[in-house]
Amino acid sequence: MLEVRDLAIARGGIAVLERLSFRVGPGQALVLRGPNGCGKTTLLRTLSGLQPPLDGQVTLAADSLAYASHADGLKPTLSVTENLMFWAAVFGTGRAAVETATDRMNLRPLAARAAQNLSAGQKRRLGLARMMLTGRPVWALDEPTVSLDAASVALFAAMVRAHLENGGAAVIATHIDLGLAEAEILDLAPFKARPPSQGGSKGAFDEAFA
């Protein structure tokens, strides 16, 4: 479903990762680990097509990936249900998918509440529930458990597990153990880009001063 070959990526014009290769197939999850600033978010943005790689190749079917960043992507004046219905309309999924997402992330008691009146954790649960409405087989998730309590982390893990069991795939940047037996861990530290003077990614130095 997703294949990466000899990938090099940059943040702010400076190379952060290089020589990165991996594959994620149906029913598989890849958990990205590494210190802050190592390039986890930059990698997810590159996989999602939000920025081009410096080098290498990302093989992914068109419109097959859904990306959840640090922002929850909510319309504050709309209710929980209205927010989900909006995204269901965007992606062409139906009311049944909204009902499933509502129950999966335990949002039923909040269904009529405006998003602006939710707590940080409740907003996060609503933002993550949107992933179920995309109908896309590959999920890219950036620190998805931020603001979630233990019970909500368990709900999210169950949502991802169900996605994998249905043949989906996921790439997740998180330091939390989600208890996913299907998950492989990829430590990004060994792929830190070398400075240009040490043979780092071609073009990184020039791009920094473009």
Side-chain angles (χ1 to χ4, degrees), residues 3 16 53 66 73-74 85 89 101 108 146 150 153 156 169 176 180 195 207:
E3 183 173 3
V16 291
L74 307 177
M85 290 298 295
R108 186 74 58 188
V146 171
V153 170
F156 167 70
I176 301 295
L180 300 173
E207 182 182 350

Side-chain angles (χ1 to χ4, degrees), residues 1 48 62-67 90-91 93 131-139 163 168-169:
M1 302 182 87
S48 304
D63 297 327
S64 65
L65 185 145
Y67 173 51
V90 168
F91 289 103
T93 49
M131 298 297 286
M132 298 185 63
L133 306 177
T134 65
R136 297 188 173 180
V138 182
W139 291 356
H163 178 64

Side-chain angles (χ1 to χ4, degrees), residues 107-131:
L107 295 168
R108 186 74 58 188
L110 306 170
R113 188 176 301 183
Q116 63 190 0
N117 296 326
L118 300 175
S119 70
Q122 290 167 341
K123 289 178 181 177
R124 194 60 171 166
R125 279 158 49 201
L126 177 55
L128 292 171
R130 294 182 306 124
M131 298 297 286

